[in-house]
Every structure is written in structure tokens, then in C-alpha cells.
Amino acid sequence: MALSDGSRAFVERRGAARGVGEDPFRFLGANTYYCMVYAAHEGLRPHVEEIFEQMQRLGMAVLRTWAFNAGAQQWMSLQRAPGVYDEQVLLGRDHVVAMASRHGVRLVLTLVNHWE
């Protein structure tokens, strides 16, 4: 998917700096872990849309968010057991990716955490 500026390139590390194509990449961003699970819940989805609208208004270019949630006891768990995934939560993750693209925000999708 192209961002609003038409860019499809990934951000790459260049020593201690970052770049996109030939250009340096400096950004203001946010860390909002709950976007996927909120987007998977119809009643909470507007909160996710508001996050992206506010980020766009503030000129924020990057959002770090969870792309996982595992465990049978977790609310809106993506992976309830090894190899058992919740389609509704996967669709929530898809919605987050689509919203990011629509608002010109790049994503850092966290796939795991340090918990057991």
C-alpha cells in the first residue's frame, strides 16, 4: 500500500540514523499498544480511528502498536492456543493497517512481548 505521499519504501537503518530511499527519515510518533484489539471490537473501533485522525493533525508519522495478543485468558486474544487464531482480531489488525495507510502513518508492528 502506498502512503498518502505515494511512498512505498520501507524505513531503513543507516548507522544511528534512519532513511527512506535517499532521504533521511525523522519523525514524531506514538506508542499505542491496544489498537488491534480495539479495532476488533465494533464499539471501540471509533477510538482507533480517532487516534489516526489526531496523529495526522499533529503531523505524527509513526505508530508502534501490538500485532499480537496471546492466551486463552486474554480479552480479544489473537491466538487463544498454539495455531488457533481469532478471525475477528485478525480483521482488527487489518483495519489498523488500512487506517495507517489512509492517514499516511507508518507502523511498527510488535509481534511478541517479554511476558510468559
Side-chain angles (χ1 to χ4, degrees):
M1 281 188 242
L3 296 173
S4 60
D5 66 357
S7 173
R8 292 177 182 259
F10 282 95
V11 176
E12 297 176 329
R13 185 176 59 86
R14 298 183 186 149
R18 290 165 197 81
V20 175
E22 299 298 318
D23 300 322
F25 184 72
R26 294 179 187 91
F27 64 92
L28 177 62
N31 180 41
T32 308
Y33 72 91
Y34 53 81
C35 286
M36 177 184 69
V37 295
Y38 274 32
H41 187 282
E42 287 295 324
L44 297 173
R45 187 172 279 187
H47 294 291
V48 177
E49 294 169 359
E50 181 181 358
I51 287 167
F52 283 106
E53 289 166 4
Q54 289 180 3
M55 288 184 72
Q56 188 175 32
R57 266 194 309 277
L58 294 170
M60 297 177 120
V62 177
L63 175 69
R64 179 180 177 269
T65 191
W66 285 4
F68 74 94
N69 191 23
Q73 303 303 317
Q74 294 292 321
W75 176 73
M76 299 300 281
S77 180
L78 172 62
Q79 185 176 354
R80 298 216 170 269
V84 179
Y85 296 92
D86 185 322
E87 180 79 17
Q88 180 180 356
V89 181
L90 285 169
L91 291 171
R93 187 167 61 188
D94 289 349
H95 183 74
V96 170
V97 172
M99 291 298 297
S101 178
R102 189 173 308 134
H103 291 281
V105 173
R106 294 178 186 266
L107 293 173
V108 175
L109 296 173
T110 305
L111 302 174
V112 297
N113 66 19
H114 67 278
W115 299 340
E116 292 182 19

